[in-house]
């Protein structure tokens, strides 16, 4: 049950809309289901013969505005309180009497008309659809004072949660005031009218977040906005210092032909200029391109190197989120930037799911927990590296390393869900779980080809080699390895990876134990897949099995590569990005 509260100054105008046909003839049988005294005239079902409905509408307006006129100058300028209340599509249809009860409880809970108070404000509840009502109240009490309306939205939300629980309706997550502003009805109708896939506010919010991902300076952030094709207006003080910024979509204009500007704070609470400055100042990223780390091979493309590096960082972040430390809130913000970076540089085949994951996780990055951002430099630098490395292909090493990165990001999203749940952040926890589902779908798309090739390579190994590595898996993971009775399990890709690691000079048993010890595997949808990507990253094996395997040193075993340390400030060598691959030179991808 969702309440939405607005303020206005025209009682008659709102009543005309509520009792009218609607903007698309969606209003059916508008009628009163409740009022302050139970005897208010009903323009929708007035039984007096030959009475003009407009006259009844005028009578209803007059009785609602009576105290407003009596108060004169003491009445508030916006004296109309308008609250729409909608049930979930899966809920049962409430009767008029039940909607009357809902309206009475909401006006009492918000202070409009407290229970037992004869001087409460006048109000009516109009129903013109099965799933919602509109409550209209005039905010002048019988004693001509204004009602106490502090935190009316929060009080309405809390009362709706109680009604849902008592009546067996779908229980929504309680709000905490950290959500982004939803598009208005006018913005949604405008998007439909102009053929846009979504309201401008949502398009701009995603574009601003993508411009912020991995940005090192305020100037770079504004440059990315302009290069993405947005109109940008920076508000400055007389001293020349920037105070804030507004953005607009090209071609999005109001009735006067002027651009429709949105300040960053109205897109999301954490996109105001002071909040952006705080993020940039607290944890400045490396301004060199960290896409090709010391662990990258020269024959791998910059996008592949950037994703491989970010995969190790994501593994470490998942471990940090398992702790009960409030500083994990900062790492969650960094993960949001990483998802934004991956979404805008991914191939078309996986872009939709990754963009959906980034959008969902945007809600998980905001809570009332305030934490130091120390130690998140590496993850923000990883996001920057992915941006500067340019767009990745959906095949070859680019595609394989995308799967290598998305695999631990699923575990990161689930770890974030547990962290938020432990603190009662219901909306953020739900958003994290939804993010994990989108990431799983993206993983299945991008991992299908390389995993199929690895399975084929595993089955093609000599029997003796297969048995040796199957025994290693059975010893390390009894529940995952082949059974003693010969019952087959899906370990072919893992067997192939261990064989390739041994060929490259690594100790398969030690490498597997290290991969297992990196983090718990209980939340993994497929343990074998998770271990395959961990092993291939640790052993510096190609993510795409069609690539050549590194040659081992004669008579030696190569040491495995250390996991990226989030607290390290060591700068990585810079790799040249491919010409024209910078996504900031393209308009925001949808």
């Amino acid at each position: 049950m969702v309440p939405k509260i607005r303020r206005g100054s025209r009682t008659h105008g709102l009543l005309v809309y509520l009792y009218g046909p609607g903007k698309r003839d969606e209003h059916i049988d508008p009628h009163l289901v409740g009022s302050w005294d139970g005897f208010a005239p009903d323009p929708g079902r007035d039984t007096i013969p030959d009475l003009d409905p407009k006259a009844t509408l005028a009578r209803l307006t007059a009785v609602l505005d009576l105290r407003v006129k009596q108060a004169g100058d003491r009445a508030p300028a916006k004296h109309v309180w308008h609250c729409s209340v909608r049930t979930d599509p899966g809920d049962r249809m409430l009767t008029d009497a039940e909607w009357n009860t809902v309206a009475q409880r909401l006006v009492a809970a918000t202070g409009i008309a407290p229970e037992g108070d004869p001087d409460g404000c006048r109000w009516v509840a109009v129903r013109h659809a099965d799933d919602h009502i509109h409550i209209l109240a005039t905010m002048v009490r019988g004693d001509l004072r204004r009602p106490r309306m502090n935190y009316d939205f929060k009080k309405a939300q809390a009362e709706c949660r109680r009604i849902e629980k008592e009546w067996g309706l779908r229980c929504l997550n309680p709000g905490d005031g950290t959500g982004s502003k939803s598009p208005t009805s006018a913005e949604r109708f405008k998007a439909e009218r102009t053929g846009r896939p979504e309201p401008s506010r949502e398009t701009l919010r995603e574009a601003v977040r993508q411009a912020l991902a991995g940005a090192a300076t305020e100037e770079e952030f504004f440059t990315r906005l302009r290069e993405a094709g947005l109109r940008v207006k920076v508000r400055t003080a007389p001293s020349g210092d920037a105070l804030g910024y507004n953005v607009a979509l090209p071609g999005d204009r109001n009735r006067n032909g002027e651009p429709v500007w949105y300040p960053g704070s109205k897109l999301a609470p954490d996109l105001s200029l002071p909040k952006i400055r705080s993020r940039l100042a607290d944890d400045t990223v490396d301004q060199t391109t960290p896409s090709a780390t010391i662990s990258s091979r020269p024959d791998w493309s910059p996008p592949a190197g950037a994703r491989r590096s970010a995969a190790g960082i994501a593994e470490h972040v998942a471990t940090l989120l398992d702790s009960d430390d409030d500083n994990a809130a900062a790492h969650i913000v960094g993960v949001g930037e990483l998802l934004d970076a991956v979404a805008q540089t991914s191939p078309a085949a996986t872009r939709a799911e990754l963009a959906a994951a980034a959008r969902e996780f945007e809600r998980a990055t905001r809570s009332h927990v305030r934490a130091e951002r120390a130690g998140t430099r590496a993850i923000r630098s990883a996001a920057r590296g992915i941006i500067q490395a340019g767009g990745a292909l959906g095949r070859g090493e680019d595609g394989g390393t995308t799967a290598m990165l998305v695999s631990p990001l699923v575990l990161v999203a689930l770890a974030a869900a547990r962290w938020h749940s432990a603190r009662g952040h219901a909306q953020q926890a739900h958003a994290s779980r939804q993010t994990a589902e989108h990431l799983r779908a993206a993983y299945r798309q991008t991992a299908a080809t390389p995993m199929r090739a690895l399975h084929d390579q595993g089955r093609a190994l000599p029997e003796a080699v297969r048995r040796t590595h199957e025994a290693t898996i059975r010893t390390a993971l009894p529940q995952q390895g082949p059974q003693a009775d010969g019952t087959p399990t899906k370990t072919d890709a893992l067997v192939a990876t261990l064989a390739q690691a041994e060929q490259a000079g690594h100790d398969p048993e030690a490498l597997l134990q290290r991969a297992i010890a990196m983090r718990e595997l209980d939340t993994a949808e497929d343990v074998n897949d998770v271990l395959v990507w961990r092993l291939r990253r640790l052993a510096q094996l190609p993510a795409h099995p069609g690539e050549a395997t590194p040659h081992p040193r004669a008579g030696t075993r190569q040491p495995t590569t250390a996991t990226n340390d989030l607290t390290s400030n060591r700068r990585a060598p810079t790799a040249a990005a491919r010409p024209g691959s910078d996504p900031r030179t393209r308009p925001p991808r949808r």
Side-chain angles (χ1 to χ4, degrees), residues 368-430:
H368 289 299
V369 176
R370 293 292 176 260
E372 297 294 333
R373 298 186 185 276
T376 62
R377 179 178 182 178
I379 192 169
R380 296 199 67 242
S381 294
R384 180 181 180 82
I386 288 175
I387 293 290
Q388 294 191 343
L393 300 175
R395 60 185 183 276
E397 191 67 15
D398 284 10
T401 50
T402 298
M404 180 182 288
L405 173 57
V406 173
S407 177
L409 283 176
V410 174
L411 302 183
V412 170
L414 294 174
R418 289 196 300 274
W419 188 88
H420 280 302
S421 295
R423 286 157 179 76
H425 304 163
Q427 292 194 6
Q428 292 88 336
H430 175 73

Side-chain angles (χ1 to χ4, degrees), residues 182-198:
S182 300
T184 64
S185 298
E187 290 171 348
R188 289 195 295 269
F189 292 146
K190 182 178 181 180
E192 294 179 8
R193 187 172 63 253
T194 58
R196 293 185 181 275
E198 62 185 2

